[in-house]
């Protein structure tokens, strides 16, 4: 169970990073040709090493970081249409998956 939580957390974090980059640079950027909003993906790299090394503290604080991505996804899913709305739903899904696996890992290692 512990390894499943680690794998789900690392996988969803990596996929969310890639989704944020692809979304703002190629798939449905706010401006044609991409925008600097793609930099929103960078904070997702901060906890990655701690997640891979199974540091409980990293799982705890990164579960709070991910709430910003959930909020952005919820806002954009409500306000946008077309491809951007689908990408926002994917962002919500990945952030919920990461949050659930991070909280589960933190509880199991208590």
């Amino acid at each position: 169970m512990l390894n499943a939580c680690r794998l789900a957390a690392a996988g969803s974090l990596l996929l969310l990073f890639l989704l944020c980059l692809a979304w703002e640079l190629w798939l449905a950027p706010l401006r044609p040709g991409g925008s600097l909003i793609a930099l929103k993906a960078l904070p997702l790299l901060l906890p990655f090493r701690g997640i891979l090394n199974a540091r409980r503290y990293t799982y705890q604080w990164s579960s709070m970081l991910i709430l910003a991505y959930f909020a952005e996804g919820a806002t954009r899913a409500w306000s946008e249409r077309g491809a951007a709305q689908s990408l926002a739903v994917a962002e919500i899904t990945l952030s919920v998956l990461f949050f659930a696996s991070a909280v589960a890992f933190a509880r199991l290692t208590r």
Side-chain angles (χ1 to χ4, degrees), residues 4-91:
C5 290
R6 288 179 64 197
L7 182 62
S12 60
L13 190 62
L14 180 62
L15 287 173
L16 187 57
F17 173 77
L18 294 173
L19 173 73
C20 287
L21 281 180
W23 182 357
E24 299 301 343
L25 293 177
W26 303 291
L27 299 176
L30 289 175
R31 293 186 184 141
S35 68
L36 288 177
I37 293 181
L39 294 175
K40 73 180 183 182
L42 290 180
L44 292 170
L45 294 179
L46 294 174
F48 200 70
R49 184 174 180 195
I51 296 295
L52 291 177
N53 291 331
R55 294 188 185 133
R56 185 172 188 265
Y57 180 72
T58 304
Y59 279 83
Q60 291 172 324
W61 70 259
S62 63
S63 66
M64 294 296 109
L65 170 72
I66 210 70
L67 292 178
Y69 293 88
F70 174 81
E72 185 214 10
T75 302
R76 290 183 77 174
W78 181 267
S79 65
E80 303 214 12
R81 297 290 172 247
Q85 188 175 37
S86 300
L87 294 167
V89 170
E91 183 177 33

